[in-house]
Amino acid sequence: SCHLSQGLRVRVLGLFIVFEGPEGSGKSTQARMLADRLMNAGLDVLTTREPGGTDLGERLRALMMREHSLPKIEPRVQTLLMLAARAQHLHERIQPWLDGGGVVICDRYAASTLAYQGGGFGLDGESLEDLNAFATQGVAPDLTLLLDLDVETGLRRSIMSRGTDWEKAGGINAQRLEFHERVRRNYLMQAKAGAWPVLDATQSE
């Protein structure tokens, strides 16, 4: 594949797959299952997530996802922290793996910023797209899969996992239901515009 954006970068190797979706949609589970299948087929697969994927990214994730920290971080600051994590993630892990001809499977990427900070918090979409372009240097997924489900079911699933993942007990889940509805609508708009496959995440694994 080859991506060229504003003359910034050309990629000619590798395969970049991203799972997107609202809370509790099963992105991590499906990413892991796909990775296992591709590795069993003999492919060189990296599974990673955002925010995270690097030492810096995981530190920023821990900072932002704490139950009592995230509501106090202004949405524009959240955006810049997410983009800092994304730029380092791309430079340190995603791009080298793709350049080596491998497959990258990522749990969230640039579309999540548009959905959460744009759709959820109401920040300007064009500004977010410009910031995303700067952070990613034009490197876009070859395939984005949207796992979609109603927000009440997703939040119920996510909160039920709090015993094994403290992030799911608070953090972004502390937002009101209307916030998550806006996130879901934004995701569906992006999927329509980008012709992404939209999968019914209410089904079994």
Side-chain angles (χ1 to χ4, degrees), residues 162-182:
R162 65 184 181 273
T164 57
D165 188 346
W166 59 266
E167 291 175 1
K168 296 182 185 300
I172 204 71
N173 286 349
Q175 295 293 329
R176 297 175 63 86
L177 194 64
E178 293 84 358
F179 172 91
H180 295 280
E181 293 281 9
R182 293 194 299 271

Side-chain angles (χ1 to χ4, degrees), residues 78-148:
Q78 290 180 31
T79 301
L80 295 172
L81 291 172
M82 294 283 189
L83 291 164
R86 179 166 302 134
Q88 184 65 25
H89 192 201
L90 180 71
H91 170 75
E92 186 176 327
R93 298 201 72 195
I94 294 174
Q95 189 66 57
W97 203 273
L98 294 172
D99 289 344
V103 177
V104 175
I105 300 176
C106 193
D107 179 347
R108 299 198 187 283
Y109 189 60
S112 63
T113 299
L114 299 178
Y116 282 85
Q117 277 68 46
F121 287 109
L123 298 185
D124 179 65
E126 290 187 8
S127 297
L128 293 176
E129 288 180 359
D130 289 342
L131 289 168
N132 257 334
F134 178 73
T136 64
Q137 293 289 279
V139 175
D142 296 291
L143 174 66
T144 300
L145 298 161
L146 177 62
L147 298 175
D148 178 58

Side-chain angles (χ1 to χ4, degrees), residues 22-25 147-157 177 180-181 184 188 199-202:
E23 303 303 307
S25 57
L147 298 175
D148 178 58
L149 80 171
D150 66 278
V151 297
E152 291 188 26
T153 300
L155 288 171
R156 191 178 306 115
R157 282 184 185 174
L177 194 64
H180 295 280
E181 293 281 9
R184 183 190 182 196
L188 289 170
L199 308 180
D200 180 4
T202 63

Side-chain angles (χ1 to χ4, degrees), residues 191-204:
K192 183 176 181 180
W196 305 346
V198 178
L199 308 180
D200 180 4
T202 63
Q203 299 185 64
S204 66

Side-chain angles (χ1 to χ4, degrees), residues 34-46:
L34 177 60
D36 289 344
R37 183 165 183 176
L38 295 181
M39 285 189 286
N40 288 336
L43 296 176
D44 192 17
V45 181
L46 168 69

Side-chain angles (χ1 to χ4, degrees), residues 1-4 9-16 95 97-102 139-140 142:
S1 62
C2 177
H3 294 285
L4 178 62
R9 186 187 295 275
V10 177
R11 176 163 63 82
V12 295
L13 296 172
L15 179 65
F16 189 11
Q95 189 66 57
W97 203 273
L98 294 172
D99 289 344
V139 175
D142 296 291

